[in-house]
Amino acid sequence: MARASWLGRGLILPTKARLLADATAAIAELGFTGSQGEHMVALENTPRVHNMVVCTLCSCYPWPVLGLPPVWYKSAGYRSRSVIDQRGVLRELGLDLAEDVEVRVWDSTAEIRYLVLPERPAGTDGMNEDQMASLVSRDAMIGVAKVAPPAGSNRP
């Protein structure tokens, strides 16, 4: 889905605008439907805003889209600390954001699941869907990682 939004074609794959307007419908167009994926909201990361997803009550997670949740996502430490020390949690998971980047934490519930559209990394112009898909990780779509530039790219 991230690569679809980055390409923005909208012919077969959903565009970023469609994902942000109605993620549930846009994701269903790709064949991802089912229990725990009925009400999806896509959140866009930008150079100034970084979104992070948690479920503080249990471990609500968009299984149909991202597969099984990581063990740490279900841990009490991640669930409780993400809302009070999000930068600390992100650093522990390997992501150190600049101080001028606003971190927004979204709490999934039984009714709504969130999915992060990561920033498109530099050096991806001209890449096709498969090449871009190889860059996107589950963690980037939870918001605890960024998508790294492709190997051989001279840009950060």
Side-chain angles (χ1 to χ4, degrees):
M1 272 146 299
R3 71 178 190 262
S5 71
W6 294 340
L7 289 172
R9 290 191 186 124
L11 301 174
I12 298 173
L13 298 174
T15 63
K16 178 171 39 175
R18 283 174 43 213
L19 281 165
L20 294 171
D22 186 351
T24 304
I27 292 167
E29 291 172 14
L30 296 173
F32 296 102
T33 60
S35 180
Q36 299 189 30
E38 303 95 341
H39 304 287
M40 299 288 300
V41 174
L43 309 163
E44 180 182 16
N45 280 352
T46 69
R48 295 284 172 234
V49 175
H50 186 88
N51 295 287
M52 173 182 183
V53 179
V54 66
C55 176
T56 57
L57 294 177
C58 55
S59 58
C60 295
Y61 182 82
W63 293 52
V65 180
L66 298 181
L68 293 174
V71 172
W72 54 260
Y73 185 87
K74 300 185 286 182
S75 73
Y78 177 79
R79 293 181 5 237
S80 63
R81 289 187 52 231
S82 290
V83 293
I84 59 172
D85 182 23
Q86 55 269 33
R87 287 182 183 276
V89 170
L90 290 172
R91 271 192 297 277
E92 289 172 13
L93 292 169
L95 180 58
D96 194 11
L97 297 170
E99 286 301 316
D100 65 341
V101 174
E102 176 188 353
V103 178
R104 296 180 184 167
V105 178
W106 298 84
D107 194 358
S108 288
T109 67
E111 290 82 32
I112 298 176
R113 304 292 196 281
Y114 296 98
L115 179 73
V116 175
L117 293 179
E119 279 184 80
R120 183 176 181 165
T124 58
D125 292 340
M127 291 180 73
N128 66 34
E129 294 168 27
D130 290 335
Q131 291 168 321
M132 283 196 226
S134 70
L135 301 176
V136 180
S137 70
R138 170 204 64 204
D139 290 0
M141 296 182 83
I142 297 171
V144 298
K146 286 195 169 208
V147 176
S153 173
N154 292 334
R155 299 180 194 169

